[in-house]
Amino acid sequence: MTRAALILAALIAFCAPAHADPDRLSILLGSAHVGGDGFDGRNPGIALTWEDVGDFDLSVAAYRNSYGRGSLAVTAALPVIRWADGEAALFLGAALYPEDGRRFRFHVGDVVPVGGVQLRHRNLFLQIMPGDGRAMDAVVAGGVTFSID
């Protein structure tokens, strides 16, 4: 687990520009596991996002995962559609799932890939992530988000 934590810490350092303040604060409220049983949908968390870094929005997050433990994640989102009050984006990243990463079909130790579609409209956000077809078909997570410019 130490190696996985170091890898994730390096990714966080790479994704979070050291001298720039984040542009957005998001609060994860929960998730639903489509086609899956035994997961906890109470997933409070917090994410900081740096918008328009190159063509991407870079985020770091800490949250309670669906196994009841703390997790860290880093993601890069590519906005593909923008409108006055929001956007739709594709995102990809990595998350640290201490003690549970090996439950995933794809993992490096306790680090797992994450990705999917991310929608934001005004102060609400939704992420839709495909599952592996065994444990679940998809995860839908959501919460509130605020610009902190």
Side-chain angles (χ1 to χ4, degrees):
M1 169 144 131
T2 303
R3 186 170 73 185
L6 289 174
I7 291 169
L8 196 59
L11 288 171
I12 290 170
F14 173 75
C15 290
H19 301 292
D21 294 330
D23 300 302
R24 181 164 295 282
L25 170 71
S26 299
I27 300 169
L28 176 63
L29 298 176
S31 65
H33 297 77
V34 180
D37 293 320
F39 295 100
D40 189 347
R42 296 169 298 184
N43 310 113
I46 190 164
L48 296 173
T49 301
W50 288 260
E51 296 176 331
D52 298 319
V53 179
D55 291 330
F56 297 93
D57 296 344
L58 305 177
S59 297
V60 296
Y63 57 96
R64 182 179 184 273
N65 68 39
S66 298
Y67 298 107
R69 297 188 206 341
S71 282
L72 300 172
V74 294
T75 61
L78 177 63
V80 292
I81 302 171
R82 293 182 194 248
W83 58 90
D85 293 326
E87 67 182 25
L90 301 175
F91 75 96
L92 185 63
L96 176 64
Y97 273 67
E99 300 181 37
D100 296 306
R102 290 168 178 81
R103 294 183 186 206
F104 290 75
R105 182 181 286 179
F106 302 103
H107 64 88
V108 176
D110 285 331
V111 176
V112 301
V114 293
V117 175
Q118 182 170 284
L119 305 170
R120 180 180 54 81
H121 186 70
R122 296 188 180 142
N123 291 103
L124 299 176
F125 78 89
L126 191 68
Q127 291 182 322
I128 304 164
M129 297 164 274
D132 65 4
R134 296 183 308 178
M136 74 196 76
D137 297 322
V139 177
V140 179
V144 294
T145 185
F146 305 95
S147 176
I148 54 176
D149 291 357

